[in-house]
Protein backbone atom coordinates (compact mmCIF):
# COMPACT_ATOMS: atom_id res chain seq x y z
CA UNK A 1 0.00 0.00 0.00
CA UNK A 2 2.84 2.38 0.81
CA UNK A 3 4.47 1.73 -2.57
CA UNK A 4 1.17 2.31 -4.36
CA UNK A 5 0.65 5.55 -2.46
CA UNK A 6 4.15 6.78 -3.25
CA UNK A 7 3.76 5.91 -6.94
CA UNK A 8 0.42 7.72 -7.16
CA UNK A 9 1.77 10.77 -5.35
CA UNK A 10 4.86 10.91 -7.57
CA UNK A 11 2.75 10.67 -10.73
CA UNK A 12 0.39 13.41 -9.54
CA UNK A 13 3.32 15.61 -8.53
CA UNK A 14 4.98 15.07 -11.91
CA UNK A 15 1.76 16.07 -13.68
CA UNK A 16 1.32 19.26 -11.67
CA UNK A 17 4.99 20.24 -11.78
CA UNK A 18 5.16 19.58 -15.54
CA UNK A 19 2.80 22.54 -15.92
CA UNK A 20 5.66 24.75 -14.70
CA UNK A 21 7.34 24.33 -18.11
CA UNK A 22 4.55 26.12 -19.93
CA UNK A 23 4.03 28.61 -17.12
CA UNK A 24 7.64 29.77 -17.30
CA UNK A 25 8.45 29.44 -21.00
CA UNK A 26 5.24 30.03 -22.94
CA UNK A 27 4.68 33.73 -23.70
CA UNK A 28 1.34 35.46 -23.22
CA UNK A 29 -0.58 35.08 -26.49
CA UNK A 30 -3.45 37.38 -27.36
CA UNK A 31 -6.01 37.95 -26.18
CA UNK A 32 -7.12 36.58 -22.80
CA UNK A 33 -3.89 36.08 -20.87
CA UNK A 34 -2.12 39.37 -21.65
CA UNK A 35 -5.34 41.31 -21.11
CA UNK A 36 -5.79 39.96 -17.57
CA UNK A 37 -2.05 40.05 -16.91
CA UNK A 38 -1.93 43.75 -17.76
CA UNK A 39 -4.87 44.46 -15.44
CA UNK A 40 -3.03 42.70 -12.61
CA UNK A 41 0.21 44.53 -13.47
CA UNK A 42 -1.57 47.88 -13.31
CA UNK A 43 -3.11 46.94 -9.95
CA UNK A 44 0.32 46.11 -8.54
CA UNK A 45 1.84 49.25 -10.05
CA UNK A 46 -0.84 51.73 -8.93
CA UNK A 47 -1.68 50.12 -5.60
CA UNK A 48 -5.39 50.45 -6.39
CA UNK A 49 -6.89 47.27 -4.88
CA UNK A 50 -10.52 48.34 -5.34
CA UNK A 51 -10.91 48.96 -9.06
CA UNK A 52 -9.16 46.80 -11.66
CA UNK A 53 -8.13 49.05 -14.55
CA UNK A 54 -8.39 47.95 -18.16
CA UNK A 55 -5.94 50.73 -18.97
CA UNK A 56 -5.14 54.02 -17.24
CA UNK A 57 -8.43 55.92 -16.99
CA UNK A 58 -10.64 52.99 -18.06
CA UNK A 59 -12.03 50.80 -15.23
CA UNK A 60 -12.49 47.10 -15.87
CA UNK A 61 -16.05 46.22 -14.87
CA UNK A 62 -16.11 42.77 -16.44
CA UNK A 63 -14.96 40.72 -13.43
CA UNK A 64 -14.59 41.06 -9.65
CA UNK A 65 -11.02 41.41 -8.42
CA UNK A 66 -10.14 38.18 -6.60
CA UNK A 67 -7.97 36.74 -9.37
CA UNK A 68 -6.36 40.14 -9.94
CA UNK A 69 -5.67 40.47 -6.22
CA UNK A 70 -3.90 37.11 -6.25
CA UNK A 71 -1.89 37.92 -9.38
CA UNK A 72 -0.97 41.44 -8.21
CA UNK A 73 0.11 40.03 -4.85
CA UNK A 74 2.28 37.49 -6.68
CA UNK A 75 3.89 40.35 -8.62
CA UNK A 76 4.63 42.17 -5.37
CA UNK A 77 6.36 39.07 -4.02
CA UNK A 78 8.09 37.60 -7.09
CA UNK A 79 8.17 40.41 -9.67
CA UNK A 80 6.61 40.56 -13.12
CA UNK A 81 6.92 37.40 -15.20
CA UNK A 82 4.72 34.89 -16.98
CA UNK A 83 5.33 32.31 -14.24
CA UNK A 84 4.45 34.75 -11.47
CA UNK A 85 1.12 35.73 -12.99
CA UNK A 86 0.16 32.12 -13.73
CA UNK A 87 1.16 30.74 -10.35
CA UNK A 88 -2.07 31.68 -8.48
CA UNK A 89 -4.17 29.65 -10.96
CA UNK A 90 -1.85 26.69 -10.39
CA UNK A 91 -2.41 26.94 -6.64
CA UNK A 92 -6.20 27.15 -7.16
CA UNK A 93 -6.07 24.02 -9.33
CA UNK A 94 -3.96 22.18 -6.76
CA UNK A 95 -6.61 22.99 -4.14
CA UNK A 96 -9.30 21.57 -6.43
CA UNK A 97 -7.30 18.39 -6.94
CA UNK A 98 -7.25 17.92 -3.17
CA UNK A 99 -11.01 18.57 -2.92
CA UNK A 100 -11.64 15.95 -5.60
CA UNK A 101 -9.49 13.47 -3.67
CA UNK A 102 -11.24 14.29 -0.40
CA UNK A 103 -14.79 13.85 -1.70
CA UNK A 104 -13.99 10.68 -3.65
CA UNK A 105 -12.36 9.16 -0.58
CA UNK A 106 -15.41 9.99 1.52
CA UNK A 107 -17.82 8.53 -1.02
CA UNK A 108 -15.89 5.36 -1.85
CA UNK A 109 -12.24 4.65 -1.08
CA UNK A 110 -8.67 5.92 -1.23
CA UNK A 111 -8.15 3.93 -4.43
CA UNK A 112 -11.04 5.71 -6.16
CA UNK A 113 -9.81 9.05 -4.77
CA UNK A 114 -6.37 8.57 -6.32
CA UNK A 115 -7.76 7.80 -9.75
CA UNK A 116 -10.27 10.66 -9.50
CA UNK A 117 -7.53 13.18 -8.76
CA UNK A 118 -5.41 11.84 -11.64
CA UNK A 119 -8.35 12.03 -14.03
CA UNK A 120 -9.15 15.59 -12.99
CA UNK A 121 -5.54 16.80 -13.18
CA UNK A 122 -5.10 15.40 -16.70
CA UNK A 123 -8.29 16.68 -18.33
CA UNK A 124 -7.49 19.15 -21.08
CA UNK A 125 -9.13 22.24 -19.57
CA UNK A 126 -7.89 21.50 -16.06
CA UNK A 127 -4.31 21.18 -17.24
CA UNK A 128 -4.47 24.32 -19.38
CA UNK A 129 -6.23 26.50 -16.81
CA UNK A 130 -3.77 25.39 -14.12
CA UNK A 131 -1.16 27.55 -15.80
CA UNK A 132 -3.20 30.34 -17.36
CA UNK A 133 -3.98 33.91 -16.35
CA UNK A 134 -7.75 33.58 -16.21
CA UNK A 135 -10.53 34.02 -13.66
CA UNK A 136 -12.09 30.60 -14.30
CA UNK A 137 -9.82 28.63 -11.95
CA UNK A 138 -10.91 30.82 -9.05
CA UNK A 139 -14.61 30.49 -9.91
CA UNK A 140 -14.22 26.71 -10.16
CA UNK A 141 -12.37 26.64 -6.83
CA UNK A 142 -15.25 28.52 -5.19
CA UNK A 143 -18.02 26.34 -6.64
CA UNK A 144 -16.08 23.13 -5.97
CA UNK A 145 -15.39 24.10 -2.36
CA UNK A 146 -19.06 24.94 -1.77
CA UNK A 147 -20.44 21.78 -3.39
CA UNK A 148 -17.87 19.45 -1.81
CA UNK A 149 -18.55 21.00 1.60
CA UNK A 150 -22.30 20.63 1.08
CA UNK A 151 -21.96 16.96 0.15
CA UNK A 152 -19.70 16.21 3.11
CA UNK A 153 -22.04 17.97 5.54
CA UNK A 154 -25.00 16.03 4.14
CA UNK A 155 -23.01 12.84 4.80
CA UNK A 156 -22.49 13.77 8.44
CA UNK A 157 -19.25 15.75 8.40
CA UNK A 158 -19.17 18.90 10.49
CA UNK A 159 -16.64 21.34 11.82
CA UNK A 160 -14.83 23.35 9.18
CA UNK A 161 -16.89 22.03 6.27
CA UNK A 162 -19.98 23.85 7.59
CA UNK A 163 -18.11 27.12 7.19
CA UNK A 164 -16.12 26.24 4.08
CA UNK A 165 -19.48 25.99 2.29
CA UNK A 166 -19.82 29.76 2.69
CA UNK A 167 -16.14 30.49 2.08
CA UNK A 168 -16.61 28.85 -1.33
CA UNK A 169 -19.45 31.26 -2.03
CA UNK A 170 -17.21 34.18 -1.07
CA UNK A 171 -14.52 32.98 -3.48
CA UNK A 172 -17.06 32.55 -6.28
CA UNK A 173 -18.74 35.92 -5.73
CA UNK A 174 -15.39 37.74 -5.68
CA UNK A 175 -14.03 35.94 -8.74
CA UNK A 176 -17.03 35.87 -11.13
CA UNK A 177 -20.01 37.32 -9.30
CA UNK A 178 -23.61 36.04 -8.99
CA UNK A 179 -22.92 33.31 -11.54
CA UNK A 180 -21.33 31.35 -8.69
CA UNK A 181 -24.66 31.27 -6.83
CA UNK A 182 -26.38 29.86 -9.89
CA UNK A 183 -23.77 27.17 -10.50
CA UNK A 184 -24.01 25.89 -6.93
CA UNK A 185 -27.74 26.48 -6.60
CA UNK A 186 -28.74 24.32 -9.57
CA UNK A 187 -27.14 21.05 -8.37
CA UNK A 188 -28.17 21.57 -4.74
CA UNK A 189 -31.83 22.19 -5.63
CA UNK A 190 -31.94 19.31 -8.11
CA UNK A 191 -30.33 16.93 -5.66
CA UNK A 192 -32.67 17.93 -2.84
CA UNK A 193 -35.61 17.22 -5.14
CA UNK A 194 -34.22 13.71 -5.69
CA UNK A 195 -33.07 12.99 -2.12
CA UNK A 196 -35.18 15.14 0.17
CA UNK A 197 -36.01 12.34 2.58
CA UNK A 198 -32.35 11.50 3.16
CA UNK A 199 -31.00 15.05 3.18
CA UNK A 200 -33.83 17.22 4.50
CA UNK A 201 -32.86 16.93 8.16
CA UNK A 202 -29.16 17.40 7.45
CA UNK A 203 -29.76 20.87 6.01
CA UNK A 204 -29.93 22.13 9.60
CA UNK A 205 -26.27 21.25 9.98
CA UNK A 206 -25.29 24.31 7.95
CA UNK A 207 -25.20 27.63 9.85
CA UNK A 208 -27.42 29.40 7.35
CA UNK A 209 -27.95 32.67 9.21
CA UNK A 210 -24.42 33.19 10.49
CA UNK A 211 -22.88 31.83 7.27
CA UNK A 212 -24.94 34.15 5.09
CA UNK A 213 -24.03 37.09 7.31
CA UNK A 214 -20.34 36.15 7.07
CA UNK A 215 -20.61 35.91 3.27
CA UNK A 216 -22.25 39.33 3.05
CA UNK A 217 -19.63 40.91 5.33
CA UNK A 218 -16.79 39.53 3.19
CA UNK A 219 -18.33 40.25 -0.22
CA UNK A 220 -20.57 43.32 -0.10
CA UNK A 221 -17.97 45.94 0.92
CA UNK A 222 -16.02 45.50 -2.31
CA UNK A 223 -19.16 45.78 -4.48
CA UNK A 224 -20.21 48.94 -2.66
CA UNK A 225 -16.74 50.52 -2.85
CA UNK A 226 -16.43 49.61 -6.54
CA UNK A 227 -19.73 51.34 -7.37
CA UNK A 228 -18.85 54.41 -5.31
CA UNK A 229 -15.46 54.73 -6.95
CA UNK A 230 -16.63 54.16 -10.55
CA UNK A 231 -20.42 54.71 -10.77
CA UNK A 232 -22.12 52.49 -13.32
CA UNK A 233 -20.23 49.36 -12.34
CA UNK A 234 -23.20 47.51 -10.82
CA UNK A 235 -25.49 48.17 -13.80
CA UNK A 236 -22.91 46.96 -16.30
CA UNK A 237 -21.72 43.99 -14.26
CA UNK A 238 -25.03 42.67 -12.92
CA UNK A 239 -27.37 43.47 -15.85
CA UNK A 240 -24.92 43.43 -18.74
CA UNK A 241 -22.48 40.67 -17.86
CA UNK A 242 -24.98 38.36 -16.16
CA UNK A 243 -28.18 38.81 -18.17
CA UNK A 244 -27.66 40.43 -21.55
CA UNK A 245 -24.42 38.55 -22.26
CA UNK A 246 -26.16 35.18 -22.12
CA UNK A 247 -29.59 36.10 -23.49
CA UNK A 248 -28.23 38.08 -26.45
CA UNK A 249 -25.84 35.88 -28.54
CA UNK A 250 -24.39 38.90 -30.33
CA UNK A 251 -24.41 41.24 -27.37
CA UNK A 252 -22.82 44.48 -28.51
CA UNK A 253 -22.50 46.00 -25.05
CA UNK A 254 -19.21 44.32 -24.15
CA UNK A 255 -16.84 47.15 -23.27
CA UNK A 256 -13.70 45.03 -23.36
CA UNK A 257 -13.95 42.70 -26.32
CA UNK A 258 -16.59 41.05 -28.45
CA UNK A 259 -19.40 38.63 -27.73
CA UNK A 260 -18.95 34.98 -28.67
CA UNK A 261 -21.90 34.00 -30.84
CA UNK A 262 -22.12 30.21 -30.56
CA UNK A 263 -24.95 27.87 -31.58
CA UNK A 264 -27.27 27.08 -28.70
CA UNK A 265 -26.26 23.82 -27.07
CA UNK A 266 -22.60 24.26 -28.05
CA UNK A 267 -21.73 24.02 -24.37
CA UNK A 268 -22.15 20.22 -24.60
CA UNK A 269 -19.54 20.03 -27.34
CA UNK A 270 -17.29 22.19 -25.20
CA UNK A 271 -17.63 19.55 -22.47
CA UNK A 272 -16.08 16.97 -24.78
CA UNK A 273 -13.13 19.27 -25.46
CA UNK A 274 -12.70 20.29 -21.82
CA UNK A 275 -12.81 16.74 -20.44
CA UNK A 276 -10.60 15.30 -23.19
CA UNK A 277 -9.57 12.50 -23.31
CA UNK A 278 -11.52 11.08 -20.38
CA UNK A 279 -14.97 12.33 -21.32
CA UNK A 280 -14.90 10.76 -24.78
CA UNK A 281 -13.60 7.43 -23.44
CA UNK A 282 -16.23 7.37 -20.68
CA UNK A 283 -19.09 8.16 -23.06
CA UNK A 284 -18.01 5.44 -25.49
CA UNK A 285 -17.81 2.89 -22.68
CA UNK A 286 -21.19 4.02 -21.29
CA UNK A 287 -22.80 3.74 -24.72
CA UNK A 288 -21.33 0.27 -25.18
CA UNK A 289 -22.67 -0.88 -21.81
CA UNK A 290 -26.06 0.64 -22.57
CA UNK A 291 -26.46 -1.18 -25.86
CA UNK A 292 -25.35 -4.44 -24.25
CA UNK A 293 -28.48 -4.36 -22.12
CA UNK A 294 -27.03 -2.92 -18.89
CA UNK A 295 -29.10 0.27 -19.00
CA UNK A 296 -31.37 -0.71 -16.10
CA UNK A 297 -28.42 -1.33 -13.82
CA UNK A 298 -26.84 2.01 -14.72
CA UNK A 299 -30.05 3.95 -14.05
CA UNK A 300 -30.85 2.14 -10.80
CA UNK A 301 -27.35 2.65 -9.37
CA UNK A 302 -27.49 6.35 -10.18
CA UNK A 303 -30.89 6.92 -8.62
CA UNK A 304 -30.33 4.72 -5.56
CA UNK A 305 -27.01 6.30 -4.59
CA UNK A 306 -27.30 9.84 -3.17
CA UNK A 307 -23.56 10.35 -3.69
CA UNK A 308 -23.65 9.40 -7.37
CA UNK A 309 -26.75 11.48 -8.02
CA UNK A 310 -25.13 14.52 -6.36
CA UNK A 311 -22.01 14.13 -8.47
CA UNK A 312 -24.12 13.79 -11.59
CA UNK A 313 -26.21 16.94 -11.05
CA UNK A 314 -23.07 18.87 -10.03
CA UNK A 315 -21.31 17.74 -13.21
CA UNK A 316 -24.31 18.62 -15.40
CA UNK A 317 -25.15 22.01 -13.83
CA UNK A 318 -22.94 24.26 -16.03
CA UNK A 319 -24.15 22.58 -19.22
CA UNK A 320 -27.79 22.79 -18.16
CA UNK A 321 -27.45 26.48 -17.36
CA UNK A 322 -25.60 27.43 -20.56
CA UNK A 323 -27.52 25.20 -22.99
CA UNK A 324 -29.73 28.01 -24.25
CA UNK A 325 -26.97 30.63 -24.11
CA UNK A 326 -25.26 31.61 -27.32
CA UNK A 327 -22.45 33.65 -25.77
CA UNK A 328 -20.34 30.81 -24.36
CA UNK A 329 -16.72 29.70 -24.06
CA UNK A 330 -15.25 26.30 -23.37
CA UNK A 331 -13.79 27.58 -20.10
CA UNK A 332 -17.34 27.73 -18.71
CA UNK A 333 -17.08 23.94 -18.33
CA UNK A 334 -14.38 24.05 -15.64
CA UNK A 335 -16.78 23.98 -12.62
CA UNK A 336 -18.20 20.71 -13.99
CA UNK A 337 -14.90 18.85 -14.25
CA UNK A 338 -14.15 18.03 -10.57
CA UNK A 339 -17.40 16.08 -10.28
CA UNK A 340 -17.11 14.58 -13.75
CA UNK A 341 -13.63 13.40 -12.75
CA UNK A 342 -14.90 11.62 -9.62
CA UNK A 343 -17.56 9.77 -11.62
CA UNK A 344 -15.00 8.75 -14.24
CA UNK A 345 -12.39 8.03 -11.57
CA UNK A 346 -14.60 5.47 -9.88
CA UNK A 347 -15.24 3.77 -13.21
CA UNK A 348 -11.57 3.82 -14.20
CA UNK A 349 -10.44 2.49 -10.81
CA UNK A 350 -12.60 -0.62 -11.23
CA UNK A 351 -11.08 -1.35 -14.64
CA UNK A 352 -13.56 -4.03 -15.65
CA UNK A 353 -13.04 -3.59 -19.41
CA UNK A 354 -9.68 -5.17 -20.24
CA UNK A 355 -8.91 -2.56 -22.86
CA UNK A 356 -9.30 0.23 -20.29
CA UNK A 357 -6.89 -1.37 -17.83
CA UNK A 358 -4.36 -1.47 -20.66
CA UNK A 359 -4.65 2.16 -21.73
CA UNK A 360 -5.52 4.10 -18.56
CA UNK A 361 -1.87 4.85 -17.81
CA UNK A 362 -1.45 6.27 -21.28
CA UNK A 363 -4.58 8.40 -20.85
CA UNK A 364 -3.09 9.90 -17.68
CA UNK A 365 0.03 10.96 -19.58
CA UNK A 366 -1.65 11.97 -22.84
CA UNK A 367 -2.63 15.60 -22.18
CA UNK A 368 0.47 16.58 -20.12
CA UNK A 369 2.83 15.11 -22.72
CA UNK A 370 0.89 16.58 -25.66
CA UNK A 371 0.70 20.10 -24.25
CA UNK A 372 4.27 20.09 -22.94
CA UNK A 373 5.39 19.06 -26.41
CA UNK A 374 3.40 21.91 -27.92
CA UNK A 375 5.03 24.37 -25.52
CA UNK A 376 8.49 23.14 -26.49
CA UNK A 377 7.68 23.41 -30.20
CA UNK A 378 6.35 26.95 -29.71
CA UNK A 379 9.34 28.06 -27.64
CA UNK A 380 11.71 26.78 -30.33
CA UNK A 381 9.87 28.97 -32.84
CA UNK A 382 8.41 26.19 -34.96
CA UNK A 383 4.87 27.38 -34.29
CA UNK A 384 4.27 31.14 -34.68
CA UNK A 385 2.24 32.59 -31.81
CA UNK A 386 -0.04 35.60 -31.56
CA UNK A 387 2.25 37.40 -29.15
CA UNK A 388 4.24 40.61 -29.31
CA UNK A 389 6.84 39.54 -26.75
CA UNK A 390 9.64 39.09 -29.29
CA UNK A 391 8.88 42.31 -31.18
CA UNK A 392 8.67 44.39 -28.00
CA UNK A 393 11.86 42.79 -26.66
CA UNK A 394 13.69 43.55 -29.92
CA UNK A 395 12.54 47.17 -29.81
CA UNK A 396 13.66 47.55 -26.20
CA UNK A 397 17.11 46.22 -27.08
CA UNK A 398 17.79 48.50 -30.04
CA UNK A 399 16.08 51.75 -29.09
CA UNK A 400 18.14 54.75 -28.02
CA UNK A 401 17.24 57.41 -25.51
CA UNK A 402 16.08 59.85 -28.20
CA UNK A 403 13.92 57.33 -30.10
CA UNK A 404 10.14 57.25 -30.02
CA UNK A 405 7.99 54.94 -27.92
CA UNK A 406 6.86 51.79 -29.68
CA UNK A 407 3.89 52.66 -31.87
CA UNK A 408 1.27 50.25 -33.20
CA UNK A 409 -0.66 51.64 -36.12
CA UNK A 410 -4.44 51.54 -35.56
CA UNK A 411 -4.50 48.52 -33.23
CA UNK A 412 -2.54 47.82 -30.05
CA UNK A 413 -2.50 44.12 -29.07
CA UNK A 414 -2.90 43.25 -25.40
CA UNK A 415 0.42 41.41 -25.37
CA UNK A 416 2.20 44.55 -26.61
CA UNK A 417 0.66 46.55 -23.79
CA UNK A 418 1.81 44.03 -21.20
CA UNK A 419 5.34 43.38 -22.45
CA UNK A 420 6.00 47.09 -22.96
CA UNK A 421 4.92 47.82 -19.39
CA UNK A 422 2.10 49.99 -20.67
CA UNK A 423 4.35 52.29 -22.72
CA UNK A 424 3.39 51.11 -26.22
CA UNK A 425 1.04 53.46 -28.05
CA UNK A 426 -1.85 52.96 -30.41
CA UNK A 427 -1.82 55.67 -33.06
CA UNK A 428 -4.05 56.19 -36.07
CA UNK A 429 -2.63 56.91 -39.52
CA UNK A 430 -3.65 60.56 -39.32
CA UNK A 431 -2.43 60.71 -35.73
CA UNK A 432 1.02 59.59 -36.86
CA UNK A 433 1.26 62.56 -39.21
CA UNK A 434 0.37 64.86 -36.31
CA UNK A 435 2.33 62.98 -33.66
CA UNK A 436 3.16 65.56 -30.94
CA UNK A 437 6.79 66.57 -30.59
CA UNK A 438 7.79 64.10 -33.28
CA UNK A 439 10.81 66.20 -34.24
CA UNK A 440 12.23 65.45 -30.80
CA UNK A 441 12.77 61.81 -31.85
CA UNK A 442 15.72 60.54 -33.84
CA UNK A 443 13.77 57.51 -35.01
CA UNK A 444 10.15 56.46 -35.04
CA UNK A 445 9.45 52.78 -34.35
CA UNK A 446 6.14 51.77 -35.89
CA UNK A 447 4.55 48.30 -36.04
CA UNK A 448 2.27 47.82 -39.04
CA UNK A 449 0.43 44.72 -40.29
CA UNK A 450 2.69 42.07 -41.76
CA UNK A 451 0.61 41.94 -44.93
CA UNK A 452 1.55 45.51 -45.90
CA UNK A 453 3.35 45.64 -49.22
CA UNK A 454 6.62 47.51 -49.78
CA UNK A 455 4.72 50.17 -51.65
CA UNK A 456 2.38 50.74 -48.76
CA UNK A 457 5.30 50.90 -46.32
CA UNK A 458 7.00 53.44 -48.58
CA UNK A 459 3.78 55.44 -48.59
CA UNK A 460 4.05 55.76 -44.84
CA UNK A 461 7.52 57.32 -45.19
CA UNK A 462 10.22 57.08 -47.88
CA UNK A 463 12.82 56.34 -45.19
CA UNK A 464 10.80 53.53 -43.55
CA UNK A 465 12.58 50.18 -43.43
CA UNK A 466 11.63 46.87 -41.86
CA UNK A 467 13.92 45.61 -39.11
CA UNK A 468 11.95 42.55 -37.96
CA UNK A 469 8.59 40.80 -38.22
CA UNK A 470 6.49 38.25 -36.37
CA UNK A 471 3.29 36.39 -37.14
CA UNK A 472 1.15 39.53 -37.42
CA UNK A 473 3.32 42.64 -37.59
CA UNK A 474 6.44 44.09 -39.13
CA UNK A 475 8.47 46.61 -37.18
CA UNK A 476 9.48 49.67 -39.16
CA UNK A 477 12.11 52.27 -38.36
CA UNK A 478 11.63 55.74 -39.83
CA UNK A 479 14.95 57.57 -39.80
CA UNK A 480 15.42 61.29 -39.47
CA UNK A 481 11.71 61.90 -39.14
CA UNK A 482 11.28 65.71 -39.22
CA UNK A 483 8.53 68.13 -40.06
CA UNK A 484 9.01 71.58 -41.53
CA UNK A 485 5.97 72.93 -39.69
CA UNK A 486 5.95 73.53 -35.95
CA UNK A 487 5.13 70.62 -33.67
CA UNK A 488 1.42 70.45 -33.02
CA UNK A 489 0.17 70.17 -29.51
CA UNK A 490 -3.17 68.77 -30.60
CA UNK A 491 -3.07 65.09 -29.84
CA UNK A 492 -6.29 64.31 -31.66
CA UNK A 493 -5.91 60.96 -33.39
CA UNK A 494 -3.37 59.68 -30.84
CA UNK A 495 -4.75 57.12 -28.44
CA UNK A 496 -2.49 55.73 -25.74
CA UNK A 497 -3.20 52.08 -24.94
CA UNK A 498 -6.59 52.25 -26.68
CA UNK A 499 -8.01 48.91 -27.69
Amino acid sequence: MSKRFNAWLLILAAIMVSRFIGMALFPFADTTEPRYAEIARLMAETGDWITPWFEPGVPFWGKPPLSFWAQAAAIKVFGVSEFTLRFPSWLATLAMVWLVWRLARQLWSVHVARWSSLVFATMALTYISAGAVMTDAFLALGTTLTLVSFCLVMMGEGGRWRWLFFIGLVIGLLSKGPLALVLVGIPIVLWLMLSWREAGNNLRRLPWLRGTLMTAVLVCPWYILAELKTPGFLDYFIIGEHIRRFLDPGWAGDLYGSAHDQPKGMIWMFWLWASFPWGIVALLSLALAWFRGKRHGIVSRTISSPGVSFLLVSALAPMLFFTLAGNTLWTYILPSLPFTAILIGRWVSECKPFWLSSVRGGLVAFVPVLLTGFVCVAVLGWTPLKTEKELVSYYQQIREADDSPLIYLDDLPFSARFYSGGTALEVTRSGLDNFPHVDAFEHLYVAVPKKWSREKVAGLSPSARKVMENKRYQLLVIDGFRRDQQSVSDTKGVRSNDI
Side-chain angles (χ1 to χ4, degrees), residues 157 321-322 337 395 415 460:
E157 292 286 324
F321 178 68
F322 290 114
L337 296 187
Y395 158 78
S415 57
L460 187 66

Side-chain angles (χ1 to χ4, degrees), residues 26-39 54 60 68 133-134 254 256-258 260 329 385-388 411-419 472-473 499:
F26 198 77
F28 291 142
D30 290 300
T31 55
T32 300
E33 279 204 290
R35 175 174 63 174
Y36 290 149
E38 177 64 3
I39 292 172
F54 188 68
F60 181 70
F68 305 126
V133 186
M134 298 189 298
D254 195 328
Y256 313 103
S258 59
H260 305 275
L329 294 169
L385 300 173
K386 292 170 56 179
T387 179
E388 299 307 298
D411 182 44
L412 179 62
F414 291 108
S415 57
R417 288 178 53 197
F418 173 79
Y419 284 113
R472 298 177 294 177
Y473 295 93
I499 304 299

